[in-house]
Amino acid sequence: MVSMVADEKAQPQLLSKKAACNSHGQDSSYFLGWEEYEKNPYDPVSNPGGIIQMGLAENQLSFDLLESWLEANPDALGLRRGGASVFRELALFQDYHGMPAFKNALARFMSEQRGYRVAVDPSNIVLTAGATSANEALMFCLADHGDAFLIPTPYYPGFDRDLKWRTGAEIVPVHCTSANGFRLTRAALDDAFRRAQKRRLRVKGVLITNPSNPLGTTSPRADLEMLLDFVAAKGIHLVSDEIYSGTAFAAPGFVSVLEVLAARGASNAPDADLSERVHIVYSLSKDLGLPGFRVGAIYSSNAGVVSAATKMSSFGLVSSQTQHLLASLLGDREFTRKYIAENTRRIKERRDQLVEGLRGIGIECLESNAGLFCWVRMGNLMKSQSFEGEMELWKKVVFEVGLNISPGSSCHCREPGWFRVCFANMSAKTLDVALQRLADFAEANGSGKGGAAPARRPLAGGPARTMSCPVGRFSWANRLTPGSADRKAER
């Protein structure tokens, strides 16, 4: 036999190194749980044994309000203005600075979300195709390849993709703990800054989510003051992702860093140029429940950032028909005022249903006042208080219980046993089914301690239901360990 090895030619690399690399983060349990849900989605009629999606922070609680407005305002959806067609106007090329009518309406809506304590200037807004695009554009504007941003943990798993994959920026976790409810401290910031220096990384800024994803809490004014002191002292940037600003449903309420910055005043010498290093990310995906519309925004008083980000926005524009529709909707002040009030009431009601149901099972949540999810401690269901125990429980919850939730390790939490559980993307009846499934699992497993499960309270949403969820074998689940993609940023 003649060997063919010597005659073989090297195959060309068909993909770029960036496209072929594994730094996207798609192998995180956060994304893999979604994959399993998509293979077997729950439906109360056609697939009652399917997986219930509790890993998606989507707001479906107020669609009826939006649909009622659309029915009452057919011109907005019909591409008309004053009864006349604007189809030709919208079909032609639009300047990537955005339509003035929409930017003005968005600026007013953002001011409304902040209690009119902040006057949002539409000329400082850069429109983007969602908050994902906004965050990435800011990284391109503020950080070079290898520069770092500090991010408090636990944080949204998608940031590993959004901020790092194409930009080459690095994330250094700021480790927060349950001892103080995961609040950010100056000591934790200083520690993260020192760790970045040891890695020879140049820290360009801090990024926070306020309200927090995944904690479901708003940042106290005192914490924002401390954070501004830190970035002022270090001469770095602050990015505040405020896409959940309109979901705050309880005291102390939402306070934007813009409000705190304005209150400090220009007379404070260390703050002379601080206003040009504070940037806001916003989106209509959460407050209005419109993630499919892909409407995001960067807000910055830095003319250089606005100019550069506007140029970058040409790679991800918001469609002209979407801007036309939302300019009309956001321009209706009476509607937006009533919508915000009713939407936050519904979020609180659904949050309370989840918290009360979990408490009846013997599971506690971090006290929250915003967001579309709860930060849930499920250590009493784990066989071992470790990240291995967390991953083992997560697999059981996905495959045996039929609930897709997000383990804390995917959010870079340093304490095993925490999970992000979403509640606003389903009906009250579906949430009741999810709670009953978890209650049955807790009873069958004796709360994971080998003993009797705690007594259960009646669950909200009607009488208890029983169901069975088929269990199969999933090869990818066996390769997931706490040492995989979920915790790479801990190094």
Side-chain angles (χ1 to χ4, degrees), residues 184-212:
L184 182 63
T185 66
R186 179 61 186 259
L189 284 167
D190 288 335
D191 173 69
F193 197 89
R194 286 192 294 269
R195 285 188 284 111
Q197 289 181 318
K198 287 183 179 180
R199 293 174 56 187
R200 299 182 182 275
L201 295 173
R202 182 171 62 162
V203 176
K204 296 302 295 290
V206 181
L207 186 148
I208 64 169
T209 55
N210 179 28
S212 169

PDB file of all heavy atoms in Angstrom, residues 184-212:
ATOM      1  N   LEU A 184     -21.913  46.492  45.459  1.00  0.00           N
ATOM      2  CA  LEU A 184     -20.571  46.876  45.045  1.00  0.00           C
ATOM      3  C   LEU A 184     -19.898  47.674  46.154  1.00  0.00           C
ATOM      4  O   LEU A 184     -20.519  48.537  46.780  1.00  0.00           O
ATOM      5  CB  LEU A 184     -20.658  47.712  43.766  1.00  0.00           C
ATOM      6  CG  LEU A 184     -19.358  48.192  43.128  1.00  0.00           C
ATOM      7  CD1 LEU A 184     -18.523  47.006  42.665  1.00  0.00           C
ATOM      8  CD2 LEU A 184     -19.670  49.120  41.947  1.00  0.00           C
ATOM      9  N   THR A 185     -18.618  47.383  46.404  1.00  0.00           N
ATOM     10  CA  THR A 185     -17.859  48.112  47.413  1.00  0.00           C
ATOM     11  C   THR A 185     -16.574  48.675  46.812  1.00  0.00           C
ATOM     12  O   THR A 185     -16.076  48.180  45.796  1.00  0.00           O
ATOM     13  CB  THR A 185     -17.486  47.203  48.602  1.00  0.00           C
ATOM     14  OG1 THR A 185     -16.558  46.186  48.144  1.00  0.00           O
ATOM     15  CG2 THR A 185     -18.713  46.541  49.201  1.00  0.00           C
ATOM     16  N   ARG A 186     -16.038  49.689  47.466  1.00  0.00           N
ATOM     17  CA  ARG A 186     -14.776  50.282  47.003  1.00  0.00           C
ATOM     18  C   ARG A 186     -13.640  49.275  47.148  1.00  0.00           C
ATOM     19  O   ARG A 186     -12.744  49.204  46.288  1.00  0.00           O
ATOM     20  CB  ARG A 186     -14.476  51.549  47.806  1.00  0.00           C
ATOM     21  CG  ARG A 186     -13.162  52.244  47.423  1.00  0.00           C
ATOM     22  CD  ARG A 186     -13.155  52.697  45.968  1.00  0.00           C
ATOM     23  NE  ARG A 186     -11.869  53.226  45.559  1.00  0.00           N
ATOM     24  CZ  ARG A 186     -11.600  54.529  45.462  1.00  0.00           C
ATOM     25  NH1 ARG A 186     -12.527  55.427  45.776  1.00  0.00           N
ATOM     26  NH2 ARG A 186     -10.429  54.942  45.060  1.00  0.00           N
ATOM     27  N   ALA A 187     -13.685  48.475  48.197  1.00  0.00           N
ATOM     28  CA  ALA A 187     -12.636  47.470  48.391  1.00  0.00           C
ATOM     29  C   ALA A 187     -12.623  46.469  47.248  1.00  0.00           C
ATOM     30  O   ALA A 187     -11.552  46.061  46.770  1.00  0.00           O
ATOM     31  CB  ALA A 187     -12.841  46.752  49.728  1.00  0.00           C
ATOM     32  N   ALA A 188     -13.805  46.059  46.789  1.00  0.00           N
ATOM     33  CA  ALA A 188     -13.876  45.110  45.677  1.00  0.00           C
ATOM     34  C   ALA A 188     -13.370  45.735  44.390  1.00  0.00           C
ATOM     35  O   ALA A 188     -12.686  45.077  43.586  1.00  0.00           O
ATOM     36  CB  ALA A 188     -15.313  44.614  45.504  1.00  0.00           C
ATOM     37  N   LEU A 189     -13.674  47.025  44.174  1.00  0.00           N
ATOM     38  CA  LEU A 189     -13.175  47.719  42.988  1.00  0.00           C
ATOM     39  C   LEU A 189     -11.654  47.829  43.022  1.00  0.00           C
ATOM     40  O   LEU A 189     -10.969  47.583  42.018  1.00  0.00           O
ATOM     41  CB  LEU A 189     -13.807  49.115  42.902  1.00  0.00           C
ATOM     42  CG  LEU A 189     -15.260  49.186  42.428  1.00  0.00           C
ATOM     43  CD1 LEU A 189     -15.830  50.578  42.700  1.00  0.00           C
ATOM     44  CD2 LEU A 189     -15.358  48.865  40.938  1.00  0.00           C
ATOM     45  N   ASP A 190     -11.124  48.205  44.172  1.00  0.00           N
ATOM     46  CA  ASP A 190      -9.666  48.327  44.297  1.00  0.00           C
ATOM     47  C   ASP A 190      -8.989  46.981  44.068  1.00  0.00           C
ATOM     48  O   ASP A 190      -7.925  46.904  43.425  1.00  0.00           O
ATOM     49  CB  ASP A 190      -9.305  48.868  45.684  1.00  0.00           C
ATOM     50  CG  ASP A 190      -9.656  50.335  45.844  1.00  0.00           C
ATOM     51  OD1 ASP A 190      -9.714  51.046  44.828  1.00  0.00           O
ATOM     52  OD2 ASP A 190      -9.877  50.770  46.995  1.00  0.00           O
ATOM     53  N   ASP A 191      -9.576  45.917  44.585  1.00  0.00           N
ATOM     54  CA  ASP A 191      -9.010  44.579  44.404  1.00  0.00           C
ATOM     55  C   ASP A 191      -8.986  44.200  42.923  1.00  0.00           C
ATOM     56  O   ASP A 191      -7.985  43.675  42.424  1.00  0.00           O
ATOM     57  CB  ASP A 191      -9.816  43.553  45.197  1.00  0.00           C
ATOM     58  CG  ASP A 191      -9.378  42.130  44.917  1.00  0.00           C
ATOM     59  OD1 ASP A 191      -8.260  41.757  45.325  1.00  0.00           O
ATOM     60  OD2 ASP A 191     -10.147  41.379  44.270  1.00  0.00           O
ATOM     61  N   ALA A 192     -10.087  44.458  42.213  1.00  0.00           N
ATOM     62  CA  ALA A 192     -10.145  44.135  40.781  1.00  0.00           C
ATOM     63  C   ALA A 192      -9.135  44.951  40.002  1.00  0.00           C
ATOM     64  O   ALA A 192      -8.488  44.444  39.065  1.00  0.00           O
ATOM     65  CB  ALA A 192     -11.558  44.377  40.256  1.00  0.00           C
ATOM     66  N   PHE A 193      -8.969  46.214  40.361  1.00  0.00           N
ATOM     67  CA  PHE A 193      -8.002  47.074  39.672  1.00  0.00           C
ATOM     68  C   PHE A 193      -6.583  46.534  39.858  1.00  0.00           C
ATOM     69  O   PHE A 193      -5.798  46.496  38.899  1.00  0.00           O
ATOM     70  CB  PHE A 193      -8.110  48.504  40.204  1.00  0.00           C
ATOM     71  CG  PHE A 193      -7.481  49.533  39.318  1.00  0.00           C
ATOM     72  CD1 PHE A 193      -8.213  50.148  38.316  1.00  0.00           C
ATOM     73  CD2 PHE A 193      -6.148  49.892  39.483  1.00  0.00           C
ATOM     74  CE1 PHE A 193      -7.626  51.113  37.496  1.00  0.00           C
ATOM     75  CE2 PHE A 193      -5.554  50.837  38.674  1.00  0.00           C
ATOM     76  CZ  PHE A 193      -6.305  51.449  37.666  1.00  0.00           C
ATOM     77  N   ARG A 194      -6.268  46.097  41.087  1.00  0.00           N
ATOM     78  CA  ARG A 194      -4.934  45.543  41.338  1.00  0.00           C
ATOM     79  C   ARG A 194      -4.722  44.243  40.552  1.00  0.00           C
ATOM     80  O   ARG A 194      -3.627  44.011  40.001  1.00  0.00           O
ATOM     81  CB  ARG A 194      -4.750  45.293  42.834  1.00  0.00           C
ATOM     82  CG  ARG A 194      -4.537  46.547  43.664  1.00  0.00           C
ATOM     83  CD  ARG A 194      -4.069  46.197  45.068  1.00  0.00           C
ATOM     84  NE  ARG A 194      -5.099  45.478  45.809  1.00  0.00           N
ATOM     85  CZ  ARG A 194      -6.010  46.067  46.583  1.00  0.00           C
ATOM     86  NH1 ARG A 194      -6.017  47.375  46.700  1.00  0.00           N
ATOM     87  NH2 ARG A 194      -6.896  45.330  47.236  1.00  0.00           N
ATOM     88  N   ARG A 195      -5.739  43.403  40.498  1.00  0.00           N
ATOM     89  CA  ARG A 195      -5.607  42.154  39.744  1.00  0.00           C
ATOM     90  C   ARG A 195      -5.402  42.433  38.260  1.00  0.00           C
ATOM     91  O   ARG A 195      -4.647  41.722  37.577  1.00  0.00           O
ATOM     92  CB  ARG A 195      -6.842  41.273  39.960  1.00  0.00           C
ATOM     93  CG  ARG A 195      -6.862  40.601  41.337  1.00  0.00           C
ATOM     94  CD  ARG A 195      -7.989  39.576  41.462  1.00  0.00           C
ATOM     95  NE  ARG A 195      -9.277  40.222  41.646  1.00  0.00           N
ATOM     96  CZ  ARG A 195     -10.255  40.239  40.762  1.00  0.00           C
ATOM     97  NH1 ARG A 195     -10.091  39.649  39.582  1.00  0.00           N
ATOM     98  NH2 ARG A 195     -11.403  40.832  41.018  1.00  0.00           N
ATOM     99  N   ALA A 196      -6.052  43.454  37.750  1.00  0.00           N
ATOM    100  CA  ALA A 196      -5.854  43.827  36.345  1.00  0.00           C
ATOM    101  C   ALA A 196      -4.421  44.285  36.110  1.00  0.00           C
ATOM    102  O   ALA A 196      -3.784  43.919  35.102  1.00  0.00           O
ATOM    103  CB  ALA A 196      -6.840  44.923  35.955  1.00  0.00           C
ATOM    104  N   GLN A 197      -3.885  45.064  37.022  1.00  0.00           N
ATOM    105  CA  GLN A 197      -2.500  45.528  36.883  1.00  0.00           C
ATOM    106  C   GLN A 197      -1.515  44.372  36.917  1.00  0.00           C
ATOM    107  O   GLN A 197      -0.513  44.377  36.189  1.00  0.00           O
ATOM    108  CB  GLN A 197      -2.194  46.541  37.988  1.00  0.00           C
ATOM    109  CG  GLN A 197      -2.904  47.877  37.821  1.00  0.00           C
ATOM    110  CD  GLN A 197      -2.547  48.856  38.925  1.00  0.00           C
ATOM    111  OE1 GLN A 197      -2.460  48.488  40.099  1.00  0.00           O
ATOM    112  NE2 GLN A 197      -2.320  50.113  38.552  1.00  0.00           N
ATOM    113  N   LYS A 198      -1.781  43.376  37.777  1.00  0.00           N
ATOM    114  CA  LYS A 198      -0.902  42.212  37.831  1.00  0.00           C
ATOM    115  C   LYS A 198      -0.898  41.458  36.511  1.00  0.00           C
ATOM    116  O   LYS A 198       0.102  40.812  36.160  1.00  0.00           O
ATOM    117  CB  LYS A 198      -1.331  41.289  38.971  1.00  0.00           C
ATOM    118  CG  LYS A 198      -0.998  41.812  40.359  1.00  0.00           C
ATOM    119  CD  LYS A 198      -1.396  40.821  41.431  1.00  0.00           C
ATOM    120  CE  LYS A 198      -1.034  41.336  42.818  1.00  0.00           C
ATOM    121  NZ  LYS A 198      -1.435  40.360  43.881  1.00  0.00           N
ATOM    122  N   ARG A 199      -2.014  41.501  35.806  1.00  0.00           N
ATOM    123  CA  ARG A 199      -2.101  40.858  34.489  1.00  0.00           C
ATOM    124  C   ARG A 199      -1.597  41.772  33.369  1.00  0.00           C
ATOM    125  O   ARG A 199      -1.710  41.436  32.197  1.00  0.00           O
ATOM    126  CB  ARG A 199      -3.551  40.456  34.206  1.00  0.00           C
ATOM    127  CG  ARG A 199      -4.094  39.362  35.108  1.00  0.00           C
ATOM    128  CD  ARG A 199      -5.581  39.124  34.873  1.00  0.00           C
ATOM    129  NE  ARG A 199      -5.876  38.818  33.476  1.00  0.00           N
ATOM    130  CZ  ARG A 199      -7.122  38.711  32.985  1.00  0.00           C
ATOM    131  NH1 ARG A 199      -8.163  38.904  33.789  1.00  0.00           N
ATOM    132  NH2 ARG A 199      -7.308  38.429  31.712  1.00  0.00           N
ATOM    133  N   ARG A 200      -1.069  42.932  33.761  1.00  0.00           N
ATOM    134  CA  ARG A 200      -0.550  43.924  32.811  1.00  0.00           C
ATOM    135  C   ARG A 200      -1.649  44.403  31.862  1.00  0.00           C
ATOM    136  O   ARG A 200      -1.403  44.637  30.668  1.00  0.00           O
ATOM    137  CB  ARG A 200       0.641  43.362  32.028  1.00  0.00           C
ATOM    138  CG  ARG A 200       1.817  42.963  32.903  1.00  0.00           C
ATOM    139  CD  ARG A 200       2.976  42.451  32.078  1.00  0.00           C
ATOM    140  NE  ARG A 200       4.089  42.020  32.903  1.00  0.00           N
ATOM    141  CZ  ARG A 200       5.032  42.818  33.382  1.00  0.00           C
ATOM    142  NH1 ARG A 200       4.992  44.111  33.108  1.00  0.00           N
ATOM    143  NH2 ARG A 200       6.008  42.331  34.131  1.00  0.00           N
ATOM    144  N   LEU A 201      -2.839  44.548  32.391  1.00  0.00           N
ATOM    145  CA  LEU A 201      -3.962  45.057  31.623  1.00  0.00           C
ATOM    146  C   LEU A 201      -4.185  46.530  31.960  1.00  0.00           C
ATOM    147  O   LEU A 201      -4.126  46.919  33.126  1.00  0.00           O
ATOM    148  CB  LEU A 201      -5.245  44.279  31.940  1.00  0.00           C
ATOM    149  CG  LEU A 201      -5.279  42.813  31.544  1.00  0.00           C
ATOM    150  CD1 LEU A 201      -6.545  42.147  32.090  1.00  0.00           C
ATOM    151  CD2 LEU A 201      -5.220  42.657  30.035  1.00  0.00           C
ATOM    152  N   ARG A 202      -4.445  47.309  30.962  1.00  0.00           N
ATOM    153  CA  ARG A 202      -4.781  48.717  31.188  1.00  0.00           C
ATOM    154  C   ARG A 202      -6.286  48.818  31.387  1.00  0.00           C
ATOM    155  O   ARG A 202      -7.069  48.494  30.481  1.00  0.00           O
ATOM    156  CB  ARG A 202      -4.339  49.578  30.008  1.00  0.00           C
ATOM    157  CG  ARG A 202      -4.623  51.069  30.223  1.00  0.00           C
ATOM    158  CD  ARG A 202      -3.997  51.935  29.171  1.00  0.00           C
ATOM    159  NE  ARG A 202      -4.519  51.641  27.842  1.00  0.00           N
ATOM    160  CZ  ARG A 202      -4.404  52.461  26.792  1.00  0.00           C
ATOM    161  NH1 ARG A 202      -3.762  53.611  26.936  1.00  0.00           N
ATOM    162  NH2 ARG A 202      -4.882  52.123  25.622  1.00  0.00           N
ATOM    163  N   VAL A 203      -6.708  49.250  32.552  1.00  0.00           N
ATOM    164  CA  VAL A 203      -8.129  49.369  32.846  1.00  0.00           C
ATOM    165  C   VAL A 203      -8.656  50.660  32.225  1.00  0.00           C
ATOM    166  O   VAL A 203      -8.196  51.753  32.547  1.00  0.00           O
ATOM    167  CB  VAL A 203      -8.390  49.368  34.371  1.00  0.00           C
ATOM    168  CG1 VAL A 203      -9.883  49.583  34.658  1.00  0.00           C
ATOM    169  CG2 VAL A 203      -7.905  48.067  34.993  1.00  0.00           C
ATOM    170  N   LYS A 204      -9.652  50.514  31.350  1.00  0.00           N
ATOM    171  CA  LYS A 204     -10.230  51.681  30.684  1.00  0.00           C
ATOM    172  C   LYS A 204     -11.544  52.121  31.303  1.00  0.00           C
ATOM    173  O   LYS A 204     -12.013  53.227  31.021  1.00  0.00           O
ATOM    174  CB  LYS A 204     -10.435  51.393  29.190  1.00  0.00           C
ATOM    175  CG  LYS A 204      -9.159  51.144  28.418  1.00  0.00           C
ATOM    176  CD  LYS A 204      -8.193  52.323  28.516  1.00  0.00           C
ATOM    177  CE  LYS A 204      -8.709  53.583  27.863  1.00  0.00           C
ATOM    178  NZ  LYS A 204      -8.759  53.487  26.403  1.00  0.00           N
ATOM    179  N   GLY A 205     -12.165  51.249  32.126  1.00  0.00           N
ATOM    180  CA  GLY A 205     -13.416  51.676  32.713  1.00  0.00           C
ATOM    181  C   GLY A 205     -14.083  50.591  33.534  1.00  0.00           C
ATOM    182  O   GLY A 205     -13.574  49.476  33.688  1.00  0.00           O
ATOM    183  N   VAL A 206     -15.252  50.956  34.059  1.00  0.00           N
ATOM    184  CA  VAL A 206     -16.115  50.054  34.807  1.00  0.00           C
ATOM    185  C   VAL A 206     -17.448  49.995  34.075  1.00  0.00           C
ATOM    186  O   VAL A 206     -17.941  51.019  33.577  1.00  0.00           O
ATOM    187  CB  VAL A 206     -16.345  50.541  36.251  1.00  0.00           C
ATOM    188  CG1 VAL A 206     -17.240  49.567  37.018  1.00  0.00           C
ATOM    189  CG2 VAL A 206     -15.017  50.741  36.972  1.00  0.00           C
ATOM    190  N   LEU A 207     -18.020  48.808  33.989  1.00  0.00           N
ATOM    191  CA  LEU A 207     -19.360  48.655  33.410  1.00  0.00           C
ATOM    192  C   LEU A 207     -20.274  48.040  34.457  1.00  0.00           C
ATOM    193  O   LEU A 207     -19.932  47.016  35.061  1.00  0.00           O
ATOM    194  CB  LEU A 207     -19.323  47.793  32.147  1.00  0.00           C
ATOM    195  CG  LEU A 207     -20.645  47.677  31.373  1.00  0.00           C
ATOM    196  CD1 LEU A 207     -20.388  47.538  29.868  1.00  0.00           C
ATOM    197  CD2 LEU A 207     -21.490  46.504  31.856  1.00  0.00           C
ATOM    198  N   ILE A 208     -21.420  48.672  34.677  1.00  0.00           N
ATOM    199  CA  ILE A 208     -22.418  48.126  35.594  1.00  0.00           C
ATOM    200  C   ILE A 208     -23.748  47.978  34.874  1.00  0.00           C
ATOM    201  O   ILE A 208     -23.972  48.607  33.825  1.00  0.00           O
ATOM    202  CB  ILE A 208     -22.618  49.031  36.837  1.00  0.00           C
ATOM    203  CG1 ILE A 208     -23.183  50.403  36.420  1.00  0.00           C
ATOM    204  CG2 ILE A 208     -21.325  49.176  37.614  1.00  0.00           C
ATOM    205  CD1 ILE A 208     -23.650  51.249  37.587  1.00  0.00           C
ATOM    206  N   THR A 209     -24.604  47.129  35.417  1.00  0.00           N
ATOM    207  CA  THR A 209     -25.989  47.100  34.969  1.00  0.00           C
ATOM    208  C   THR A 209     -26.841  47.630  36.113  1.00  0.00           C
ATOM    209  O   THR A 209     -26.743  47.166  37.243  1.00  0.00           O
ATOM    210  CB  THR A 209     -26.454  45.681  34.594  1.00  0.00           C
ATOM    211  OG1 THR A 209     -26.239  44.791  35.700  1.00  0.00           O
ATOM    212  CG2 THR A 209     -25.687  45.180  33.384  1.00  0.00           C
ATOM    213  N   ASN A 210     -27.645  48.630  35.838  1.00  0.00           N
ATOM    214  CA  ASN A 210     -28.501  49.258  36.840  1.00  0.00           C
ATOM    215  C   ASN A 210     -29.860  49.580  36.202  1.00  0.00           C
ATOM    216  O   ASN A 210     -29.925  50.438  35.332  1.00  0.00           O
ATOM    217  CB  ASN A 210     -27.858  50.547  37.361  1.00  0.00           C
ATOM    218  CG  ASN A 210     -28.719  51.257  38.394  1.00  0.00           C
ATOM    219  OD1 ASN A 210     -29.495  50.632  39.112  1.00  0.00           O
ATOM    220  ND2 ASN A 210     -28.600  52.569  38.467  1.00  0.00           N
ATOM    221  N   PRO A 211     -30.907  48.853  36.629  1.00  0.00           N
ATOM    222  CA  PRO A 211     -30.960  47.770  37.610  1.00  0.00           C
ATOM    223  C   PRO A 211     -30.099  46.577  37.184  1.00  0.00           C
ATOM    224  O   PRO A 211     -29.838  46.378  36.008  1.00  0.00           O
ATOM    225  CB  PRO A 211     -32.444  47.387  37.649  1.00  0.00           C
ATOM    226  CG  PRO A 211     -33.161  48.623  37.208  1.00  0.00           C
ATOM    227  CD  PRO A 211     -32.254  49.227  36.169  1.00  0.00           C
ATOM    228  N   SER A 212     -29.703  45.799  38.199  1.00  0.00           N
ATOM    229  CA  SER A 212     -28.759  44.718  37.964  1.00  0.00           C
ATOM    230  C   SER A 212     -29.391  43.528  37.265  1.00  0.00           C
ATOM    231  O   SER A 212     -30.465  43.071  37.634  1.00  0.00           O
ATOM    232  CB  SER A 212     -28.179  44.246  39.300  1.00  0.00           C
ATOM    233  OG  SER A 212     -27.452  43.047  39.134  1.00  0.00           O
TER     234      SER A 212
END
